[in-house]
Amino acid sequence: MRRIRSRLPGRSSAVAVAVGAVLGLVTVPSAVPSPRTTPAAATADNTATVFYYTKTKNWERYNLHYAPDGGSWTAVPGVAMETACTDWVKKTVTLGTAEGLRAAFNNGSGTWDNNSGKDYSLGTGNITVKDGVIAHSDPCAGEEPDPTPGDGNRATVYYSTRTLGWTTANIHYQPAGGSWTTVPGVGMRAACAGWWKTDIDLGTADSMKAAFNNGNGVWDNNKGADYSLPAGITTVFDNTVTEDADDPCADEVPDTRAPTVPAGVTARADGVSVVLTWEPSTDDTGVTRYQVTRTGGTGGDVVTDVGSTVFSEANLEERTTYTYTVRAMDAAGNVSAASAAATATTGTKPPAPAAGKPLGTDPRKDPIYFVLTARFTDGDSSNNRGGSQHERSGNAAHDDPMFRGDFKGLVNKLDYIKGLGFSAVWITPVVLNRSDYDHHGYHGYDFYKVDPRLESAGASYQDLINAAHAKGMKIYQDVVYNHSSRWGAKGLFTPTVYGVRDSQWSWYYDEKQPGFEYDGLTVDPKSGKSYYNGDLWSTAEPSGNTCVNWGTPTGGRSPEGYTIYNCQWPGPTSGMFPQALYHNCWIGNWEGEDSRSCWLHEDLADFNTENAQVQNYLIGAYNKYIDMGVDGFRVDTAVHIPRTTWNRRFLPAIQERVTQQHGAEAARNFFVFGEVAAFVNDKWNRGSVNHSAQFYTWKERGEYSADDEKAALEMYDYEQQQGTGNQPTSTNAFLDGNTYHAPDRSRFSGMNVIDMRMHMNFGDASNAFHNGKDSDDSYHDATYNVVYVDSHDYGPNKSSERYTGGTDAWAENMSLMWTFRGIPTLFYGSEIEFQKGQKIDCGPSCPLATTGRAYYGDHVAGTVTSSDFSQVDSATGAVATTLQQPLVKHVQRLNQIRRAVPALQTGQYSTAGISGDMAFKRRYTAGGTDSFALVTVSGGATFTGVPNGTYRDAVTGDMRTVSDGTLSVGAPGKGNLRVYVLNGTGKIGTDGPYLK
């Protein structure tokens, strides 16, 4: 038995989780206790009835191979399953005292579905496994013959999940005058595409209350009100109930057409890992998933369902040839024929990297410190590089190479950041860049390779992630999906340009080095400079050239007076880039459709992100960093990619990969926040919803073409016509009076955003506060907004300088950011007003030392140790002086207070019943936590209609007893604040220059 088991697919205990659970709990019916989160006491007769979906497998036989928790596996191939109802088989197994089981399925002939090698982790009761998704339901409910007419009042309920993405649906109901069903209720049966149906005998009742769920804790309870449904035929669609309705499936022609066969299937092996990609299939109603079958090795065939056109697996057998085929599936369960086979042969297993796993906690608990890694602090001078602009920029005169900081320096100073109180670090892009001035990381060239100018022996990117996690700190990686460097993207497309090493241009074009591959680090021994373009230029016209007038003079001259030639530099209109992979135009209107489909700048070659090959390249690349254990992605230039592409391709791929590698809880808290640059002071960006930050936090609400490029245009036109007055709204950020309510997560896209409106208005904290809250109903959940004053790009009001409002204003801004909704974020050095008033970025036209991107390491030289957040144990040298600065003391205590008061981290807020400028109340209630706080920043305030009780100020320790619902607070002074916490512990931390 052991010999046989060793050849079977993997048997880990990882849990496969439904899409709904990844999205998180939406809301639980108010009339019903929350579903159990801990098992009930085990009994000796625990059973599990496992239902398995057959339509997309089409096996001749189905076996359940399982092991009760703590018990042994059944003999291979397991126990035979029996027909349950159309498209389903089932098996009821006795578990004894076990509270669940591990399981895999097979056809008895060596083909397995083992949840991508992790097995399925199942509980007790009715459980469905459908295309890799687990839910709690009976999919055959309602298929019994209808009771004899006259037995009681009948209700036929149709429920639509077209906008929810659920793979199963339950109705949880209470007949008028009766009792609620047991959670999760009664399974509904599929009626037609996007609709579920059930028939309910109401007895003598003529109506019922109802709520719906996906069997995995995601609920639709009509926004907390539950649904009231009468006898007869009723439909429920997007919170709208229609009584005496027509059968929504009556006129629908059954979908029997299968998707087209996946084409272009390619497999690439790297060590004992394989990456499989293919072109998307088409279908009359839309492709929902793909089914990958792998053959080869000693474990038999394995079938895996995936949601994107990229599939990868690791830890395969060494020196083994694997064959893959792909089938496409639609929502009706139609399955295409198998694709042409693709093969890949593995090599040897590389040394195992140190384990990396995201911390997986609520991102709202973690204030963010943002660094440009190459400019923060230098731990290894051997990887410093100046680049081709070292002298011209003036950096050489300052002995300040653009690539100076590195991961080793950052690892060495994690205690400095922790001592400030920050538990998340946002770092600029880590992929190999290729530009003549690329220290910032936004000119990606090899997206699958970490830039060697950032790594050192013992201080790789993986080492940084692990070191941060060991200190309880998260790493948020800046990622770019919109564009590559002007030199393209290695592994996707790299252009060849005209070049000549004549008396004018020999300084610019590196000598040819046969077999050399650019790495950003290697230096030409002749010139002493890093190679830049030696492998990319050609004097002779290359075969397949598409650039017109190759190598002929343009008639123009460079600033030095040198002859400029056609095809000398890549550009969108040069003809060098294939239209399938790159857009071939310049942006003409920054609030027009072309802003999403043209180049931003000559150094930023704009990907055609609606192309499957581009999507596969990017998804595969960023899967690598997810696997390393990063805790989230900051998404650069998110507004320049259509929302449909984010919602269809990139965001689901992120969720799928994190779930696959690290589990559902990590996926739910993997923090994605996008830069949707809207440099205006109004709620909507010049009236264009498609170019406004909050727009990207929502799922689609229309149905568009299966073709991504067409869908992008259709969505753009549809939403522009809907306008700003007909966009989704949310109460997720707001208290209901003084009451916290469970947020509705059902329409969340998966992307949170940087709060551009607050950023633009932070010239004055009061303006930022009032402008921010004015927009909050249009975000999916503004409590996840990332809030900062300035950054590596701009200061408030699109200023090109680092914030220079003064220390008092900085303190006031920080006091607001650390207590108001959202996640406070600080650009490196702001804690000492580093480079205030200096131009943030002037490119190579001035030295970095005179800009907002100056080298910061001099201020943190020395040693520092921190055993806890906001707690510095020891410091020597320059860093000890830095840590004594007034804003350092201020931010340390703000982090202490915020960390101790849950309402300030994850709470909803309200300004109702409050007089005062920057004054608000916040509350968070969950499990055994109930945190309620009254906050005023700088000015005085009166809070009315608040709960009676004892309040203690977290700043001063002042205690107030409220008996009439009113609490008045005097003005604490600019930059100071008061945080009166109901049943609070009192003063947190020690007085500082502002908090006192």
Side-chain angles (χ1 to χ4, degrees):
M1 183 64 182
R2 183 171 182 175
R3 180 182 61 82
I4 297 174
R5 293 273 299 115
S6 68
R7 300 202 311 266
L8 291 175
R11 298 275 180 244
S12 78
S13 60
V15 179
V17 182
V19 173
V22 173
L23 295 175
L25 182 67
V26 173
T27 183
V28 178
S30 56
V32 190
S34 299
R36 285 188 299 139
T37 55
T38 56
T43 64
D45 57 353
N46 277 343
T47 62
T49 299
V50 181
F51 294 86
Y52 188 69
Y53 190 62
T54 64
K55 186 170 184 178
T56 52
K57 292 293 186 289
N58 199 30
W59 294 345
E60 291 186 2
R61 294 183 302 279
Y62 295 85
N63 296 303
L64 171 65
H65 181 50
Y66 71 94
D69 291 347
S72 301
W73 286 88
T74 55
V76 175
V79 295
M81 304 184 76
E82 61 196 51
T83 300
C85 55
T86 305
D87 299 328
W88 291 91
V89 293
K90 71 176 182 179
K91 184 64 181 180
T92 300
V93 296
T94 300
L95 301 176
T97 59
E99 297 169 355
L101 67 156
R102 290 178 293 160
F105 303 88
N106 65 85
N107 69 347
S109 300
T111 299
W112 288 82
D113 172 9
N114 66 356
N115 192 25
S116 302
K118 297 188 294 294
D119 301 323
Y120 291 97
S121 183
L122 311 177
T124 58
N126 293 325
I127 308 162
T128 62
V129 180
K130 181 181 181 182
D131 298 334
V133 177
I134 301 169
H136 297 268
S137 184
D138 179 352
C140 302
E143 289 215 345
E144 300 81 13
D146 288 342
T148 304
D151 282 358
N153 291 326
R154 305 285 294 159
T156 299
V157 181
Y158 289 89
Y159 181 68
S160 175
T161 58
R162 287 183 173 177
T163 61
L164 300 178
W166 294 359
T167 59
T168 190
N170 298 312
I171 181 171
H172 179 52
Y173 66 92
Q174 177 193 43
S179 301
W180 283 91
T181 55
T182 302
V183 173
V186 176
M188 304 182 76
R189 65 182 185 274
C192 56
W195 285 96
W196 302 78
K197 175 185 179 182
T198 195
D199 298 302
I200 297 172
D201 188 342
L202 297 176
T204 59
D206 57 6
S207 65
M208 63 179 166
K209 288 184 178 180
F212 303 88
N213 66 84
N214 73 341
N216 263 348
V218 179
W219 288 80
D220 170 13
N221 68 353
N222 195 24
K223 300 180 179 178
D226 298 327
Y227 290 97
S228 294
L229 306 179
I233 298 177
T234 307
T235 61
V236 182
F237 180 82
D238 274 359
N239 299 113
T240 300
V241 175
T242 303
E243 300 180 18
D244 297 325
D246 294 330
D247 180 347
C249 301
D251 298 325
E252 182 165 318
V253 177
D255 178 13
T256 58
R257 182 189 302 176
T260 59
V261 177
V265 181
T266 58
R268 184 178 74 252
D270 180 8
V272 290
S273 299
V274 170
V275 177
L276 192 72
T277 63
W278 58 92
E279 299 289 334
S281 297
T282 59
D283 185 68
D284 54 342
T285 60
V287 175
T288 57
R289 296 184 74 77
Y290 294 90
Q291 188 181 87
V292 177
T293 300
R294 181 244 289 163
T295 301
T298 58
D301 297 354
V302 176
V303 179
T304 306
D305 296 304
V306 296
S308 69
T309 55
V310 177
F311 171 71
S312 60
E313 53 183 352
N315 299 316
L316 297 170
E317 297 172 43
E318 292 183 306
R319 301 181 186 88
T320 301
T321 298
Y322 291 95
T323 301
Y324 296 85
T325 58
V326 184
R327 299 174 185 263
M329 297 181 284
D330 64 17
N334 298 308
V335 185
S336 74
S339 69
T343 61
T345 301
T346 57
T348 58
K349 186 174 183 178
K357 185 176 180 63
L359 296 183
T361 54
D362 192 319
R364 294 172 295 178
K365 297 180 179 180
D366 300 299
I368 302 170
Y369 192 75
F370 171 37
V371 303
L372 274 78
T373 310
R375 307 301 301 156
F376 184 58
T377 184
D378 188 9
D380 176 8
S381 61
S382 70
N383 58 13
N384 293 358
R385 293 293 181 272
S388 66
Q389 303 298 309
H390 191 49
E391 286 80 16
R392 177 190 170 194
S393 65
N395 289 340
H398 288 79
D399 193 22
D400 182 24
M402 62 167 183
F403 264 93
R404 189 171 178 183
D406 46 40
F407 293 147
K408 187 172 184 179
L410 186 52
V411 168
N412 290 342
K413 299 305 176 184
L414 285 174
D415 271 17
Y416 169 74
I417 299 172
K418 185 171 185 175
L420 295 177
F422 292 91
S423 49
V425 185
W426 158 16
I427 60 174
T428 39
V430 304
V431 305
L432 175 61
N433 267 229
R434 189 164 194 165
S435 168
D436 52 4
Y437 213 60
D438 54 6
H439 63 281
H440 42 67
Y442 297 99
H443 294 166
Y445 173 68
D446 188 344
F447 286 69
Y448 286 78
K449 182 181 179 66
V450 175
D451 201 308
R453 291 169 289 187
L454 298 175
E455 293 194 302
S456 309
S460 67
Y461 186 34
Q462 185 70 70
D463 291 325
L464 168 64
I465 295 168
N466 294 346
H469 287 173
K471 294 180 181 293
M473 302 167 70
K474 295 180 177 180
I475 294 293
Y476 294 151
Q477 178 180 331
D478 211 321
V479 294
V480 185
Y481 287 78
N482 177 68
H483 57 263
S484 69
S485 72
R486 68 164 11 144
W487 303 108
K490 182 181 178 182
L492 182 70
F493 175 79
T494 301
T496 299
V497 299
Y498 173 79
V500 57
R501 283 180 56 82
D502 58 13
S503 59
Q504 295 183 338
W505 290 107
S506 59
W507 64 276
Y508 182 75
Y509 293 106
D510 299 329
E511 290 191 40
K512 293 287 187 181
Q513 302 292 329
F516 173 73
E517 291 189 6
Y518 170 81
D519 62 7
L521 192 65
T522 303
V523 173
D524 178 2
K526 293 182 180 179
S527 67
K529 297 179 181 178
S530 300
Y531 291 111
Y532 172 52
N533 56 22
D535 56 329
L536 297 175
W537 64 269
S538 172
T539 302
E541 183 173 358
S543 60
N545 169 55
T546 55
C547 185
V548 179
N549 299 319
W550 177 268
T552 60
T554 65
R557 297 276 178 175
S558 73
E560 301 88 354
Y562 301 157
T563 300
I564 295 178
Y565 301 91
N566 284 303
C567 310
Q568 195 169 14
W569 282 283
T573 58
S574 65
M576 294 182 188
F577 289 87
Q579 292 184 6
L581 304 180
Y582 282 88
H583 293 128
N584 287 189
C585 54
W586 292 106
I587 291 177
N589 177 5
W590 287 85
E591 276 74 46
E593 198 286 323
D594 60 334
S595 72
R596 307 180 311 157
S597 56
C598 296
W599 286 39
L600 304 172
H601 189 271
E602 64 176 352
D603 264 355
L604 309 177
D606 197 81
F607 285 131
N608 178 7
T609 52
E610 286 63 71
N611 175 274
Q613 188 178 346
V614 173
Q615 293 167 357
N616 291 343
Y617 178 85
L618 293 168
I619 290 170
Y622 290 126
N623 280 351
K624 168 179 177 173
Y625 306 106
I626 290 172
D627 294 354
M628 293 173 73
V630 295
D631 300 275
F633 287 158
R634 181 269 187 181
V635 181
D636 180 71
T637 51
V639 70
H640 299 293
I641 294 176
R643 189 177 74 177
T644 47
T645 304
W646 285 117
N647 288 352
R648 284 183 175 189
R649 309 300 175 199
F650 297 136
L651 295 173
I654 291 171
Q655 278 289 301
E656 184 175 272
R657 187 64 173 197
V658 180
T659 302
Q660 179 188 64
Q661 296 298 109
H662 305 299
E665 185 69 9
R668 188 169 68 86
N669 289 312
F670 189 89
F671 190 45
V672 179
F673 59 105
E675 176 205 26
V676 183
F679 300 110
V680 293
N681 289 315
D682 52 2
K683 184 171 183 176
W684 297 97
N685 185 4
R686 296 184 177 88
S688 174
V689 295
N690 278 280
H691 299 86
S692 300
Q694 56 268 50
F695 183 74
Y696 280 76
T697 66
W698 297 95
K699 283 183 179 179
E700 302 306 334
R701 52 181 177 162
E703 294 185 7
Y704 309 114
S705 169
D707 179 271
D708 286 355
E709 190 167 354
K710 292 179 181 177
L713 294 172
E714 291 167 1
M715 183 276 294
Y716 182 90
D717 291 340
Y718 173 78
E719 294 292 359
Q720 290 297 89
Q721 291 171 12
Q722 293 298 306
T724 61
N726 191 25
Q727 292 299 310
T729 59
S730 170
T731 62
N732 283 343
F734 306 119
L735 292 172
D736 183 4
N738 293 315
T739 304
Y740 177 88
H741 61 90
D744 178 357
R745 307 285 288 169
S746 62
R747 300 304 307 279
F748 179 45
S749 67
M751 181 185 289
N752 300 286
V753 290
I754 295 167
D755 197 318
M756 295 302 294
R757 194 172 184 197
M758 287 194 73
H759 164 54
M760 288 297 294
N761 283 278
F762 256 121
D764 176 80
S766 178
N767 282 342
F769 171 67
H770 290 287
N771 276 276
K773 69 188 184 70
D774 176 56
S775 298
D776 283 355
D777 65 338
S778 57
Y779 293 98
H780 173 267
D781 190 343
T783 66
Y784 287 86
N785 284 13
V786 170
V787 182
Y788 57 60
V789 173
D790 63 358
S791 72
H792 59 320
D793 287 326
Y794 293 105
N797 295 311
K798 206 179 181 182
S799 165
S800 59
E801 290 81 35
R802 286 195 75 154
Y803 184 72
T804 186
T807 310
D808 290 354
W810 251 124
E812 185 176 57
N813 288 341
M814 290 178 179
S815 291
L816 176 63
M817 286 195 294
W818 262 257
T819 54
F820 189 43
R821 58 81 185 136
I823 302 171
T825 301
L826 204 67
F827 184 37
Y828 79 104
S830 292
E831 65 272 21
I832 61 170
E833 297 178 86
F834 180 60
Q835 297 295 92
K836 64 180 180 181
Q838 296 298 315
K839 186 175 290 294
I840 293 172
D841 174 31
C842 56
S845 65
C846 72
L848 281 165
T850 64
T851 72
R853 297 178 176 179
Y855 176 66
Y856 190 61
D858 294 338
H859 297 277
V860 291
T863 63
V864 57
T865 58
S866 299
S867 58
D868 202 356
F869 297 105
S870 300
Q871 178 66 49
V872 176
D873 300 319
S874 65
T876 64
V879 70
T881 302
T882 295
L883 287 166
Q884 295 303 313
Q885 300 306 303
L887 289 178
V888 169
K889 296 298 185 183
H890 188 55
V891 78
Q892 283 177 316
R893 193 171 181 208
L894 283 170
N895 274 323
Q896 281 182 298
I897 293 171
R898 188 177 190 272
R899 199 171 298 278
V901 182
L904 302 183
Q905 302 170 44
T906 54
Q908 295 162 341
Y909 79 95
S910 173
T911 58
I914 302 173
S915 67
D917 184 21
M918 290 183 285
F920 44 91
K921 54 188 175 183
R922 297 191 67 185
R923 190 170 207 159
Y924 175 72
T925 307
T929 299
D930 185 13
S931 176
F932 184 75
L934 306 175
V935 181
T936 183
V937 179
S938 296
T942 298
F943 301 85
T944 62
V946 300
N948 292 331
T950 300
Y951 291 78
R952 292 180 176 86
D953 179 23
V955 178
T956 65
D958 179 49
M959 184 178 74
R960 304 282 188 89
T961 299
V962 174
S963 58
D964 60 355
T966 301
L967 189 153
S968 294
V969 182
K974 187 165 185 175
N976 203 350
L977 79 156
R978 297 291 178 258
V979 182
Y980 279 89
V981 181
L982 181 61
N983 299 321
T985 57
K987 185 174 182 177
I988 299 168
T990 58
D991 289 349
Y994 291 99
L995 296 180
K996 54 189 177 182

